[in-house]
Amino acid sequence: MPLPDPLTRHPIPGWKGTAFLKAIVDNPLIEVGDYSYYDDSRGPEHFVARCVRYHFDFIGDRLIIGKFVAIAQAAQFIMNGANHPMGGFSTFPFGMFGFENAPGYSRENAGFRGDTVIGNDVWIGREAVIMPGVTVGDGAIIGTRAQVARDVPPYAVVVGNPGRVVKMRFAPEIVAQLLAIRWWDWEPETIARNIGVIASADIDALRAAV
């Protein structure tokens, strides 16, 4: 059976609370991989407005989401526009509101932390918060309401506030093989033919499917 169209707006029959992000995101500063989805009973089409916060064009930072990412309701991606200047006596963003004699915006003064990058096959739990400039590695799991301010290693499980790695999903040698195999980059026909192996924990079978 072939894979579904990644541009399908509502890929689950009879349920309009889930959408493939490629079908609903048109912001050029947000990159989304195939089959990544957002689930929200209030309507997933509001993903950008509800989940991607302080994302201003004049700052230019990007949110990059890989393939096969699962994002639960009310997860938050805090972008660099949330940062305030901290090098002076006041943190108030005078320039943003048009105050005369205010210093202009600069990435350095505002604590710019770079793009936010979510790897492939990542699961982000309900109301989790990803802070600016964080990279979440492939295969990671971010627990419900976790507050993630640091990079997350591939295949790590992160929970809590502040977010901390509580375990690795697989042994280091298995993680290394998974990162080399990169099943999410296979041709759609190859993925479709090997869904059972991808959903298993048999690394030998997965390696043989390449």
Side-chain angles (χ1 to χ4, degrees), residues 98-118:
F99 282 78
E100 292 186 9
N101 303 317
Y105 171 84
S106 73
R107 289 184 170 188
E108 294 74 20
N109 292 340
F112 184 81
R113 297 177 184 176
D115 297 333
T116 299
V117 180
I118 310 300

Side-chain angles (χ1 to χ4, degrees), residues 91-173:
T91 61
F92 191 86
F94 293 103
M96 188 175 292
F97 294 101
F99 282 78
E100 292 186 9
N101 303 317
Y105 171 84
S106 73
R107 289 184 170 188
E108 294 74 20
N109 292 340
F112 184 81
R113 297 177 184 176
D115 297 333
T116 299
V117 180
I118 310 300
N120 305 281
D121 196 25
V122 172
W123 176 17
I124 299 176
R126 186 179 177 116
E127 298 180 18
V129 177
I130 313 295
M131 297 301 287
V134 165
T135 293
V136 177
D138 298 326
I141 297 174
I142 308 301
T144 295
R145 295 184 177 175
Q147 309 284 310
V148 183
R150 297 181 179 180
D151 290 352
V152 176
Y155 292 93
V157 178
V158 170
V159 301
N161 181 9
R164 66 191 189 282
V165 175
V166 292
K167 71 174 184 178
M168 301 298 295
R169 295 179 58 200
F170 305 105
E173 60 272 18

Side-chain angles (χ1 to χ4, degrees), residues 8 10-16 18 37 39:
T8 302
H10 300 299
I12 301 176
W15 173 244
K16 294 186 177 181
T18 300
Y37 73 83
D39 183 85

